[in-house]
Amino acid sequence: MRRTPSRRLVAAVLLAASVLAPMAAIPATAAPATAAPATGTARHDKAGPTPDGLGPELAARLDRTIEEVREQAGIPGVVVGLWMPGVGSYVRATGVADTATGRPMSAGASVRIGSETKTFTVTALLELVDDGRIGLDDPISDYVRGVPNGHRITLRHLAEMRSGLFPYTSDPDFTHDLLSDPERTFTPRETLAYGFRHPNTFAPGTRFQYCNSNLVLLGLVIEKVSGHRLADFIHERVLDPAHLHHTLFPTGSEFPAPHPHGYTDQTLSGGTADTTYWNPSWAWAAGAMISNLHDLRRWAPIVATGKLLSPETQRQRLKTLPTGFPGTSYGLGIFRTNGWTGHNGSIPGYETVTVYLPSKRATLVIMINTDIQYEGQEPSTLLARAITTVATPDNIYDKDSAISPRA
C-alpha cells in the first residue's frame, strides 16, 4: 500500500518481500517518521582490520553511507550488521527508536520481521517433507477445503508464489477492515476468505505473483499434518534447533523489550501512525514473527545453506525461478538477488533484510523502524543496495531491479 493500502501489500525488496499490511487510523499523538540525529552506537575497529572489525576506512565509508540514506529517506532508526569472514565485522545502530522521546536505536532491540516469517514457515513445511509426511507436489485440496482451483495448486506452487490465488491483502474490504481496527485479531480462515471471493489471477505454475494467501495456506497444512499450532511447531522444529532464543511467533500484539516504535503511512487518512502495538495476526504464517540482530545473523546462513534440511530438500528449495524483476529469482520461501540469498520483510512500521552471500560467506542484516517509502522504494532496499555497493561491489543487492514493492 503506498497511499492506497491495497498497493502496499505485496512487497519486498525487489519483488515483494514484504508481507504487508495496511494500517490503521493515526493516533493523535503519533510523531512523523522524520530522520533523527545520529545518536546511536557504532562498533568497528579503529586501528585496522581484525577478526572482529572492519578496517577504519571501510567502516567510515559505511558509516557515511548509512547516515546519508537514513537522512535522505527519513528513516528514524537503523540497525545494520555485516559479517565478512577474512575481512571483519561491522555493527551499527543509529538514529532513534522513539521519535517522541529521542530514545536512541539499539543494536540489541527486537523488531517485527514481516515477510522474513516466510523463511521460517517454509522451513517448517520442508521438515515435514523430510519426515515423509507430505510431498511438495501434493495438491492443497488434500489438506484444506475450499481453495479455488485447489486440486491443481500444489504445495510447491504455494511456496514458490506461483499459485495464481488472489492475494487477500489486495481486497478493498480487507484493507478497510484492517485499517479501521489495527488491533483486531484475524484468524487464518478469515483472511483467506477475503481473497477467495475473487477469481484466481492465472493458471498454477505459469507466473510469479507475491501472495500472502499462499503462506497462510501452508501454515494451515503444517498445523493439520503436525497436529500442533503453527507457533509451537516452528518453535520446536525450527527455532530451538537453530538456537534462536530471541525469535518468537506472537499470539497477539505482544512485543519483547527493548524494541523501537514503528512508523507507517499505511493509514486511512494517509497520515503517519505509530504501529508499535498493532496486532500482526492478519499476517500470521506470512509475516507475524519477531526477532533481533543476533538471531537473524544466525538464521541467514542456516536458511541459505539448508542446515536444518536434507541436502535434496535444500536443492529443491534453491531451485529459484524468474520473478519478472531483473536479477531476482524466487525459490521455496527464499529469493536470490545478485548472489545474495535470503528474504526481506515489511510490515507496517518495520522493515528488515536478512541475506547471505555464499561466495564470501558474508551475512547482512538490516532492521529499521519505518516502512514509509522514499520515491517509490522500500527504505530497507535503499540501505541494502547502498551498503553492498560499498562492501561487496561485485554483488550489489537489488542492483538492477526497478520494482516498487507493494504493487
Side-chain angles (χ1 to χ4, degrees):
M1 295 193 288
R2 174 105 246 107
R3 299 291 176 260
T4 50
S6 61
R7 288 188 59 80
R8 261 195 106 164
L9 301 195
V10 156
V13 33
L14 14 255
L15 43 66
S18 324
V19 104
L20 287 24
M23 284 9 273
I26 174 171
T29 58
T34 53
T39 54
T41 59
R43 189 199 74 192
H44 48 69
D45 181 61
K46 296 292 186 181
T50 74
D52 298 320
L54 300 180
E57 181 179 350
L58 179 54
R61 289 180 63 201
L62 288 172
D63 285 348
R64 290 193 301 271
T65 296
I66 292 167
E67 276 307 295
E68 287 171 2
V69 174
R70 189 181 73 81
E71 292 176 6
Q72 181 182 48
I75 304 168
V78 174
V79 175
V80 172
L82 177 64
W83 297 270
M84 302 175 65
V87 178
S89 62
Y90 173 93
V91 174
R92 170 75 155 144
T94 184
V96 297
D98 185 338
T99 60
T101 66
R103 174 168 59 91
M105 196 72 163
S106 166
S110 293
V111 299
R112 301 191 187 280
I113 63 172
S115 280
E116 289 197 31
T117 301
K118 292 175 173 66
T119 63
F120 294 93
T121 299
V122 174
T123 297
L125 182 86
L126 294 177
E127 290 189 325
L128 290 174
V129 172
D130 279 342
D131 292 346
R133 302 176 70 180
I134 62 173
L136 284 172
D137 296 315
D138 295 345
I140 185 61
S141 60
D142 286 356
Y143 304 97
V144 181
R145 293 182 179 180
V147 180
N149 206 23
H151 65 290
R152 294 186 56 203
I153 296 172
T154 67
L155 305 187
R156 188 190 302 274
H157 290 144
L158 295 169
E160 290 176 338
M161 299 293 180
R162 291 175 175 268
S163 70
L165 291 171
F166 185 90
Y168 66 85
T169 51
S170 295
D171 178 80
D173 290 336
F174 170 79
T175 297
H176 177 269
D177 293 347
L178 177 59
L179 294 177
S180 298
D181 184 8
E183 296 181 4
R184 169 183 171 178
T185 296
F186 287 85
T187 68
R189 294 282 185 170
E190 285 174 340
T191 57
L192 288 171
Y194 289 99
F196 288 175
R197 66 175 66 169
H198 299 272
N200 290 9
T201 55
F202 53 84
T206 59
R207 283 176 44 199
F208 172 90
Q209 180 187 34
Y210 201 79
C211 175
N212 288 323
S213 303
N214 297 335
L215 269 290
V216 172
L217 285 169
L218 293 181
L220 291 175
V221 171
I222 292 167
E223 291 198 331
K224 180 169 185 176
V225 174
S226 71
H228 297 285
R229 291 191 319 138
L230 177 63
D232 295 337
F233 189 79
I234 286 179
H235 189 276
E236 178 182 347
R237 293 294 302 272
V238 181
L239 302 183
D240 276 356
H243 304 292
L244 304 182
H245 304 305
H246 303 282
T247 303
L248 70 148
F249 201 122
T251 58
S253 58
E254 66 267 27
F255 204 160
H259 58 256
H261 284 246
Y263 303 95
T264 192
D265 62 352
Q266 295 196 65
T267 61
L268 289 177
S269 69
T272 300
D274 185 325
T275 68
T276 309
Y277 300 110
W278 287 4
N279 190 336
S281 62
W282 63 271
W284 196 50
M289 291 179 69
I290 294 168
S291 191
N292 70 2
L293 183 69
H294 176 273
D295 278 13
L296 294 178
R297 176 194 178 182
R298 287 187 58 85
W299 182 238
I302 289 173
V303 71
T305 63
K307 182 178 179 181
L308 300 182
L309 304 174
S310 70
E312 174 54 29
T313 297
Q314 181 66 4
R315 280 193 290 273
Q316 293 288 315
R317 179 169 214 173
L318 294 179
K319 286 182 178 179
T320 58
L321 298 171
T323 62
F325 304 116
T328 301
S329 57
Y330 203 88
L332 300 176
I334 197 170
F335 67 66
R336 283 177 168 169
T337 180
N338 295 310
W340 292 95
T341 299
H343 218 290
N344 64 340
S346 180
I347 194 165
Y350 301 91
E351 289 195 345
T352 56
V353 174
T354 299
V355 286
Y356 181 74
L357 184 61
S359 63
K360 292 181 170 60
R361 295 182 295 122
T363 297
L364 172 64
V365 177
I366 296 171
M367 310 188 311
I368 63 176
N369 59 340
T370 187
D371 68 318
I372 297 176
Q373 294 183 356
Y374 176 74
E375 296 185 347
Q377 296 191 67
E378 297 298 310
S380 59
T381 299
L382 294 174
L383 278 167
R385 186 185 300 133
I387 290 165
T388 53
T389 297
V390 171
T392 58
D394 293 333
N395 301 95
I396 299 175
Y397 180 93
D398 192 32
K399 177 176 180 290
D400 300 314
S401 177
I403 178 176
S404 173
R406 308 188 170 138

